[in-house]
Amino acid sequence: MRLKEGVISFGPRAPKGIGKPILHAMHVINDIMEESGEYCVTSLCDGVHGPNSLHYVGLAMDLRTRHLKEMEAVNVLARRLQEELGRMYQVIVEKDHIHLEVSDLWLSANGDPRKVV
């Protein structure tokens, strides 16, 4: 696994850095991503995302897919990742990357850090 240059693993709303669920996911998907030809994380707590993004609280990451020439290969990879990670995660195919985050099921069980008490 490598991180794209400039990727930040902590931020203003994630001062402790990326959450344990994302660290766990990085480990779990390592072999699958390496088999795909590249394992590059392009965003953690950094980047520009929607205002309610889980990136900003350390519970999401983006994975590079440009090494996969066919969209079907991206979809197959995403399905494999989802199967390996299970229901506590959500794997979403975006136009130019795969977005991975904790699922609503995880948030229900562990609390949503985006919500202010």
Side-chain angles (χ1 to χ4, degrees):
M1 174 191 62
R2 70 184 186 89
L3 300 178
K4 182 179 102 175
E5 186 176 335
V7 167
I8 299 172
S9 61
F10 61 92
R13 295 193 301 193
K16 294 180 183 175
I18 53 177
K20 289 180 183 178
I22 295 303
L23 290 171
H24 173 75
M26 288 176 167
H27 173 73
V28 168
I29 67 172
N30 186 70
D31 291 345
I32 295 170
M33 289 304 299
E34 291 291 341
E35 286 172 20
S36 82
E38 185 173 355
Y39 184 5
C40 182
V41 176
T42 60
S43 181
L44 288 167
C45 299
D46 57 313
V48 178
H49 309 281
N52 209 26
S53 174
L54 287 167
H55 280 281
Y56 300 129
V57 293
L59 294 174
M61 70 176 173
D62 292 337
L63 302 166
R64 178 168 288 154
T65 57
R66 70 179 181 202
H67 62 287
L68 300 168
K69 303 301 180 202
E70 302 291 327
M71 194 57 171
E72 181 55 26
V74 175
N75 290 328
V76 167
L77 176 60
R79 284 192 297 273
R80 285 188 68 202
L81 296 174
Q82 186 67 69
E83 288 171 8
E84 191 68 27
L85 290 167
R87 297 177 350 154
M88 291 296 197
Y89 294 87
Q90 186 171 318
V91 177
I92 303 164
V93 175
E94 302 281 357
K95 185 177 101 175
D96 61 352
H97 66 279
I98 291 175
H99 173 81
L100 188 153
E101 66 183 20
V102 296
S103 68
D104 289 341
L105 183 63
W106 187 93
L107 293 169
S108 294
N110 297 282
D112 189 336
R114 299 170 297 180
K115 298 198 187 299
V116 177
V117 179

